[in-house]
Amino acid sequence: MTTHTRATARGPVQQAAMLAGAIFLLVGILGFIPGITTSYGSMKFASHESGAMLLGIFQISVLHNLVHLAYGVAGLAMARTASAAYAYLLVGGAVYLVLWIYGLAVSHNTDANFVPLNTADDWLHFALGIVMIGLALFLGRRSPGRGDR
């Protein structure tokens, strides 16, 4: 007799974390693809002098891409449980809001802008922070037993 195990259904907060993780993973990969990343040859490891632009809009570097890849892997891994997915969205969103403030506070043409960030990155980070925190708060309330999954 064959026993079949049914995959556990993911709750809404887990699905949101999985989607966010997949998007971050995709963005991290796209950052290493010439053509999707313009001025690819001018990409630095970590410097405001990196001239590479994802989609011709967002300034990136190898470090920036690696951070996106790490955020993606973390999102996919943390989507396994509702409590971890909630923490990923809440804390990840807070980190993006801090990064938004950092981007506004630091001149884009100084060594302190090592990630690097430009104005488009800054406002994308603001939107990501608000959306991720909003998803955590809205969907986390709807996930019964968040702490025990």
Side-chain angles (χ1 to χ4, degrees), residues 46-50 59-61 64 113-118 121:
S47 168
H48 69 279
E49 295 173 354
S50 182
Q59 187 177 13
I60 59 169
S61 65
H64 206 148
N113 185 20
F114 64 93
V115 174
L117 305 170
N118 64 10
D121 288 308

Side-chain angles (χ1 to χ4, degrees), residues 41-138:
S42 67
M43 186 184 306
K44 307 282 187 215
F45 178 78
S47 168
H48 69 279
E49 295 173 354
S50 182
M53 304 282 275
L54 180 62
L55 304 173
I57 301 169
F58 305 102
Q59 187 177 13
I60 59 169
S61 65
V62 172
L63 177 62
H64 206 148
N65 290 335
L66 293 175
V67 169
H68 287 141
L69 290 171
Y71 247 74
V73 169
L76 294 175
M78 294 178 80
R80 291 182 182 161
T81 67
S83 59
Y86 175 83
Y88 170 76
L89 292 170
L90 190 65
V91 174
V95 168
Y96 269 102
L97 288 179
V98 168
L99 194 54
W100 167 64
I101 293 167
Y102 180 79
L104 295 177
V106 172
S107 174
H108 291 156
N109 296 320
T110 65
D111 289 339
N113 185 20
F114 64 93
V115 174
L117 305 170
N118 64 10
T119 302
D121 288 308
D122 294 339
W123 292 103
L124 178 61
H125 293 153
F126 172 75
L128 286 170
I130 295 299
V131 168
M132 289 176 75
I133 290 171
L135 285 170
L137 296 177
F138 179 71

Side-chain angles (χ1 to χ4, degrees), residues 2-19:
T2 305
T3 305
H4 296 280
T5 58
R6 187 173 155 221
T8 305
R10 297 193 192 279
V13 73
Q14 291 170 274
Q15 291 173 354
M18 184 175 287
L19 178 61

